[in-house]
Amino acid sequence: QVQMVESGGGLVQPGDSLRLSCAASGRSFSGFIMGWFRQAPGKEREFVAGINWNGGRTDYADFVKGRFTISRDNAKNTVYLQMNSLQPEDTAVYYCAASSREVSRLRRGYDYWGQGTQVTVTS
């Protein structure tokens, strides 16, 4: 019912920045909670950031350490993840997700998922 497409990933050096975008379609976007998760090879998918319907509430994983910022533009049906001071351990496939319920750090709290975009941080 809801389709999402991530973009903006790439290969960067430590300390560089990237902005990921997730464009949603198929259903009204403004009422959804949105989140970003990531999954490195051999690792479980983990929560990165979440944002409520109007952007007034955000939540971040501890390992972000203030480096990442989640935002949304409901008029464009798009959620963003600004990633600064990237480190090699940030290397992963990044997924956006949507929930009709509430901001959550748990995978089961989200109903719809994008296909992911690769972020690689290496020197």
Side-chain angles (χ1 to χ4, degrees), residues 41-75:
K43 304 293 184 180
E44 295 188 9
R45 192 170 300 186
E46 61 183 354
F47 172 81
V48 176
I51 189 167
N52 76 335
W53 67 273
N54 67 354
R57 179 185 175 187
T58 58
D59 188 30
Y60 298 94
D62 290 341
F63 56 75
V64 171
K65 301 178 181 178
R67 299 178 296 125
F68 294 3
T69 302
I70 187 172
S71 62
R72 66 191 296 165
D73 186 340
N74 290 341

Side-chain angles (χ1 to χ4, degrees), residues 14 25 31-32 38 40 44-45 51 56 58 68 76 79 88-90 95-96 100 106 108 111-112 114-115 117:
S25 63
F32 280 94
R38 70 186 188 185
E44 295 188 9
R45 192 170 300 186
I51 189 167
T58 58
F68 294 3
K76 297 182 178 179
V79 62
E89 55 265 36
D90 296 316
Y95 300 88
C96 63
S100 61
L106 304 175
R108 67 175 181 266
D111 304 302
Y112 306 101
Q115 296 302 306
T117 185

Side-chain angles (χ1 to χ4, degrees), residues 6-40:
E6 301 95 335
S7 62
L11 193 155
V12 297
Q13 299 180 27
D16 285 354
S17 298
L18 284 172
R19 189 184 73 163
L20 306 184
S21 299
C22 175
S25 63
R27 186 169 288 182
S28 178
F29 174 80
S30 62
F32 280 94
I33 304 299
M34 300 296 297
W36 285 96
F37 288 73
R38 70 186 188 185
Q39 188 166 21

